[in-house]
Amino acid sequence: MKNTPPPFVGFGLGLRTCYFEEILDTEPNVDWFEIISENYFVSGGKPWHYLSQIKERYPIVMHGVSMSIGSTSDVNFDYLAKLKKTIERVQPLWVSDHLCFSSLGEFNSHDLLPMPYTEESLDHLSQRLSIVQDYLQRPLILENVSSYLTYEVSEMSEWAFLAELHKRTQCQFLLDINNIYVSARNHDFAPQEFIDAIPESAIAQIHLAGHSDFGSHIIDTHDQPICDEVWQLFEQFAKARMPVNTMIERDDNFPSFKEIMAELEQARGLAPASWSKHEYA
Amino acid sequence: MSTLKKLQHDFVAMLQGQNTTFTEHIAKQNGLSTAQRGEIYQNAYQIRLKKVLEQDHEMLGLYLGDELFDHMVEEYLSQYPSRSASLREFGDRIPQLLKSSPRFKEHGILAEIALFERLLLHAFDAADSPTLQLAHLQSIEQSAWPNIVFQLHDSVQLLSCEYSAVESWQALKNGGSPPSPNQGGLRHWIVARAPDKRTGFYPLSQCHFQCLTSIEKGLPFGFVCEAAANVVGDQQQGTLQVMQLLQQGIELGWFIASPQGSQ
């Protein structure tokens, strides 16, 4: 499977139901939209009614939350079949999910549970990634998750783990800068060290999102505006790196579409001129 | 069992509140204790799934009140942990819980309200398919009519209520008080998504309910008319009732296009 970063298509937004009509009515200056894959496993109705109209006007990418690629249970081919069917219908630019486990056996936690950063996990994920990509017949991009704990058995840092996984499998990452910041605060490391460790060839997409700060720890709630520290990390990243597809992600406590668009414009404004999509069109 | 497998097994057991040594897997760090770090995940698991049930069963929540709804969620999480990759299906067994739980089963209206809300959700995102139009009926040869088999649209759900579940749901939705649960007999409803994608529900007469049940079973038009005649006690009146039902169903998108046997 040839895993190289997808072409730069610009700045995107997470497509959420509350914005469907406004997007169709106003056709905002958004380069692409990201959908939650599992929301479109259903057969029809309003979700598909709106998506089919939006995808006529904008490129779509797919982002899953339930693949549970790190699970030690048997590979869930029922899930993969639904995903493949949805991919065929949506024809996304690329497909991503999370580097984590969320289910075990029949139990589904509907959470993104962190993997231990060990040789055993590297072997396990390398094997799973190969099975999934062979089945889907396309690359799967993996997102780093926020975490609130680390494991006694971990043998390396999260960033060393990602870099090694990329070295072994050439897999691409969706780097969520907010998740890096959240984990950095919760585990007392420097977020820049994490970002610097991920090679350019391994980054397919960026997520920017908000969180809830409880002082002693941060929870990755995706229901707040993007904080200054995350913006600063993004700005430094953009100055130092080749253009990467960048997206504003909001999953709850939805503000007006105007406010979400303001965050998108802020991301565009922080990126250097070399990140103009026209230069790469 | 491998280290990774054991760790994941213990993590899941911790989330479900089972006795476990999971905290032993957590590295000690500054700030929060290992127990607190585990609790963040345990709380998130419960909060996330409770929120799904609150969204899917808003009126049931109002009917029960916060305290009973919380008890229901607690029982549900313990008896019916999620087995689906999609949160959309997580609450599918709520009616089952409300029918069987000693705390709730004496109040039959609760399972009916929950079932009604599940049917609304199903209708919302059921498969799309072209709906039957009047022109289709006009093109059917007269001799072919008795053997025509109409098919219900995937969004169509039939519901029979012993209690005033739908009326209570409506009252709560409109900010009012629910009526008495006992309504003195069975009432029938159809839940379906209209062509404009809005989900609606309509009361059905006993006759129309029998007709739709016959159609759902795949019986041809002739048998549907007979079922109607049996209810109203007259062949002609029965056929008239079926035609009225077809007209309403065509307007509201209850049937899919190209009934079998029409060509």
Side-chain angles (χ1 to χ4, degrees):
Chain A
M1 189 71 57
K2 191 185 171 194
N3 280 354
T4 51
F8 179 64
V9 283
F11 293 81
L13 280 184
L15 183 62
R16 303 296 180 257
T17 53
C18 56
Y19 300 133
F20 279 162
E21 290 190 359
E22 195 158 356
I23 290 165
L24 287 171
D25 289 345
T26 63
E27 297 200 5
N29 178 22
V30 177
D31 298 319
W32 47 275
F33 285 101
E34 182 189 86
I35 61 168
I36 302 294
S37 308
E38 291 82 359
N39 289 353
Y40 296 86
F41 283 8
V42 296
S43 309
K46 275 191 179 172
W48 278 102
H49 171 74
Y50 285 107
L51 178 60
S52 56
Q53 293 176 68
I54 292 168
K55 82 186 186 80
E56 280 175 14
R57 306 175 202 188
Y58 296 93
I60 303 290
V61 311
M62 283 172 58
H63 183 55
V65 293
S66 296
M67 182 179 288
S68 192
I69 195 166
S71 173
T72 49
S73 299
D74 293 341
V75 174
N76 185 346
F77 283 102
D78 286 342
Y79 174 87
L80 290 180
K82 286 178 188 165
L83 180 62
K84 194 171 184 177
K85 194 175 162 191
T86 309
I87 290 169
E88 283 162 6
R89 199 167 165 187
V90 174
Q91 295 292 312
L93 292 179
W94 64 85
V95 178
S96 63
D97 204 293
H98 296 83
L99 199 165
C100 69
F101 77 104
S102 54
S103 59
L104 194 68
E106 289 193 325
F107 174 81
N108 200 314
S109 72
H110 299 285
D111 201 352
L112 307 168
L113 309 177
M115 298 292 289
Y117 303 123
T118 61
E119 281 292 329
E120 186 187 7
S121 292
L122 279 170
D123 289 343
H124 180 69
L125 281 166
S126 302
Q127 191 189 18
R128 287 288 165 124
L129 196 57
S130 170
I131 293 169
V132 169
Q133 293 185 146
D134 282 351
Y135 183 87
L136 297 177
Q137 285 295 295
R138 63 187 301 148
L140 176 74
I141 293 163
L142 293 174
E143 177 180 349
N144 59 297
V145 298
S146 297
S147 64
Y148 313 104
L149 58 80
T150 55
Y151 298 108
E152 280 287 337
V153 291
S154 280
E155 296 154 359
M156 61 193 95
S157 65
E158 185 180 357
W159 52 95
F161 184 85
L162 296 189
E164 182 59 26
L165 187 64
H166 173 67
K167 198 171 153 190
R168 291 186 188 190
T169 66
Q170 290 77 54
C171 73
Q172 298 289 304
F173 297 116
L174 190 176
L175 216 55
D176 188 316
I177 292 183
N178 174 62
N179 290 356
I180 294 172
Y181 179 76
V182 169
S183 295
R185 282 276 305 273
N186 290 337
H187 306 313
D188 198 20
F189 64 78
Q192 195 61 52
E193 190 180 352
F194 188 129
I195 294 169
D196 290 345
I198 310 301
E200 200 141 81
S201 60
I203 306 174
Q205 187 187 335
I206 295 287
H207 267 174
L208 298 170
H211 54 251
S212 297
D213 193 333
F214 295 93
S216 59
H217 61 287
I218 302 182
I219 302 283
D220 179 25
T221 47
H222 288 192
D223 64 354
Q224 298 296 319
I226 298 160
C227 74
D228 291 343
E229 291 87 347
V230 170
W231 281 123
Q232 282 162 17
L233 286 168
F234 172 68
E235 187 176 14
Q236 285 164 11
F237 178 91
K239 277 181 185 162
R241 304 275 189 140
M242 294 286 283
V244 177
N245 298 297
T246 298
M247 196 199 91
I248 308 297
E249 188 181 38
R250 186 73 173 244
D251 292 321
D252 209 343
N253 187 28
F254 295 102
S256 68
F257 192 69
K258 197 176 160 190
E259 286 170 73
I260 283 284
M261 281 302 293
E263 286 195 319
L264 187 79
E265 290 306 332
Q266 189 169 348
R268 279 189 174 122
L270 289 172
S274 60
W275 279 49
S276 160
K277 74 164 179 165
H278 304 294
E279 291 188 25
Y280 293 82
Chain B
M1 192 184 283
S2 73
T3 307
L4 183 58
K5 206 167 199 166
K6 170 85 168 63
L7 183 148
Q8 292 188 347
H9 180 271
D10 289 350
F11 204 143
V12 163
M14 182 273 291
L15 290 180
Q16 294 182 282
Q18 295 159 3
N19 284 335
T20 168
T21 54
F22 179 70
T23 49
E24 290 172 14
H25 293 288
I26 304 174
K28 290 183 179 64
Q29 293 176 268
N30 290 335
L32 300 179
S33 68
T34 54
Q36 284 172 319
R37 291 178 187 273
E39 279 164 14
I40 290 174
Y41 285 95
Q42 199 174 24
N43 292 338
Y45 167 70
Q46 289 169 358
I47 290 167
R48 179 175 293 107
L49 294 179
K50 183 184 174 192
K51 195 171 173 184
V52 170
L53 296 179
E54 283 171 345
Q55 284 169 349
D56 287 358
H57 292 285
E58 197 183 345
M59 297 309 130
L60 177 67
L62 287 176
Y63 197 94
L64 281 170
D66 290 347
E67 198 179 331
L68 279 172
F69 192 81
D70 286 350
H71 282 303
M72 183 195 78
V73 172
E74 200 178 317
E75 275 189 51
Y76 193 68
L77 280 175
S78 131
Q79 290 183 40
Y80 300 97
S82 178
R83 291 177 184 166
S84 167
S86 170
L87 282 169
R88 158 81 180 69
E89 292 153 26
F90 172 59
D92 279 353
R93 289 174 290 175
I94 284 282
Q96 202 174 320
L97 173 87
L98 292 170
K99 268 186 192 168
S100 60
S101 160
R103 190 193 295 268
F104 301 108
K105 69 180 180 184
E106 299 302 321
H107 308 281
I109 191 171
L110 299 175
E112 284 189 355
I113 294 175
L115 178 60
F116 177 61
E117 289 183 318
R118 297 313 305 169
L119 298 185
L120 290 171
L121 286 167
H122 176 88
F124 176 80
D125 50 23
D128 294 311
S129 45
T131 53
L132 185 68
Q133 304 297 314
L134 204 55
H136 289 125
L137 298 187
Q138 287 162 347
S139 68
I140 299 171
E141 296 274 339
Q142 198 173 351
S143 60
W145 270 94
N147 295 319
I148 292 291
V149 178
F150 292 98
Q151 285 177 273
L152 298 180
H153 190 274
D154 199 45
S155 75
V156 169
Q157 308 286 317
L158 303 178
L159 173 69
S160 295
C161 292
E162 196 180 335
Y163 302 95
S164 62
V166 178
E167 294 84 351
S168 297
W169 187 94
Q170 268 180 305
L172 290 165
K173 184 84 180 167
N174 295 328
S177 302
S180 162
N182 298 310
Q183 59 184 2
L186 211 56
R187 285 186 199 168
H188 307 291
W189 300 86
I190 182 170
V191 178
R193 191 174 70 226
D196 66 1
K197 306 291 177 195
R198 274 187 289 195
T199 302
F201 54 93
Y202 308 87
L204 291 172
S205 66
Q206 176 66 22
C207 179
H208 283 182
F209 177 74
Q210 286 299 335
C211 294
L212 286 165
T213 306
S214 303
I215 291 169
E216 195 177 38
K217 286 177 182 164
L219 295 175
F221 182 75
F223 281 86
V224 177
C225 290
E226 256 183 54
N230 285 339
V231 177
V232 296
D234 179 85
Q235 193 74 39
Q236 203 176 351
Q237 275 301 312
T239 306
L240 192 65
Q241 285 290 320
V242 178
M243 296 314 287
Q244 281 175 357
L245 175 67
L246 282 178
Q247 190 180 356
Q248 187 183 11
I250 286 170
E251 281 170 21
L252 294 169
W254 296 349
F255 306 106
I256 62 170
S258 302
Q260 290 170 18
S262 62
Q263 289 168 2

